[in-house]
Amino acid sequence: MAALQAVLDECAALQPATVGETPRTAIHTLPPATLYHYPPPADTQAPEPEARRPLLVLYSLVNRPYLLDLSPQRSLLRGLRDSGLPVYLLDWGRPEPADRFLGLDDYLCDILHEAVKEVSRRHGGQPVDLLGVCQGGTFSLCYTALHPERIGRLATLVTPVDFHCPGDTLGALARELNLGLAVETLGNIPADLLNLVFISLKPAELLSRRYLQQLPQLRHNRDALQDFLRMERWMYDSPDLSGRAFLEFVREFYQDNALARGTLTIGGREVDPTRIRQPVFNAYATADHLVPPAAARAMGTLLSNADYREEAVPGGHLGVMLSKKARLGLHQRLQDWLAQPLPAAP
């Protein structure tokens, strides 16, 4: 216990943990969301080339998107920016109590649609590339199916598509909950409640092992300890969720599996993935406890597009964004893929 107390004292001295250090500019507000631009590094002494196709990044509603910019050394967004891509991020924000009535149609057909149009406008009306992570990938897939004319390339990381595949513990749990009563009672779904649900999926790993075994080993490694604190901040800094959007997502995706079954509608329109003719890059984690490989690989069966690329990344859910192997391998291949010109129209 003395070692644990010593490392806790070090943790206190290192607070607050810094995150999201890559410079960015808010360019458009879409309450409760904000659209950000990540300009090129100042030391390049060159403007961002307008001719380059812009990239819009989407993360999940459930967590804060600064996981993608956790530190200068572990930043997917910084790597994309430094590769020369014009990078934008749609931060879904933190819903206010009155936002309990925002549904999936509001998020995808209004907020996301306006963000895509704004990014395209800033780049001469070009198509926009989408990079969706986790639930943000599911949203990106749906949006591209609804508005294929606006999207150039679609990339997804650890993205669930089939919500009824074997081994999906989170999906099995969601199918058993009376969520209508929770939304009626609470309005927006509190972040603390959702955090308890995610911890319950791996309690030994996320509680006893993380704090009693892993943390004391970081006592004499300041950089690793700072990374630990950044992850702690991210894990417990989740936003509340709009009650209506939460209920719709669970019912349509987890309970009815409507996307995989071909019965999903959003904003009164059918979501038909076979309309997607754009190049698609889909990466999943082989040991993902939140998005099992089968749940992500189902994307390939929904698309009629021959230009579909799929990559398996060893490790767990977060490793696809943060691990050194992913940064040196997958992220570089993703950057190269996004930099390619669009294929000629048939």
Side-chain angles (χ1 to χ4, degrees), residues 46-61:
E48 189 174 73
E50 186 176 298
R52 293 293 298 271
R53 205 169 52 252
L55 173 67
L56 177 59
V57 181
L58 302 180
Y59 195 56
S60 168
L61 294 174

Side-chain angles (χ1 to χ4, degrees), residues 2-11 14 213-228:
L4 179 59
Q5 184 59 55
V7 78
L8 290 175
D9 291 341
E10 287 193 47
C11 288
L14 291 173
Q213 297 180 23
Q214 296 176 359
L215 180 56
Q217 296 174 8
L218 305 180
R219 180 181 174 186
H220 301 295
N221 188 336
R222 187 183 182 90
D223 290 341
L225 189 57
Q226 286 180 319
D227 280 345
F228 182 94

Side-chain angles (χ1 to χ4, degrees), residues 143-157:
Y143 181 85
T144 305
L146 291 170
H147 296 282
E149 73 286 354
R150 292 191 173 272
I151 304 303
R153 288 174 175 264
L154 170 64
T156 55
L157 305 179

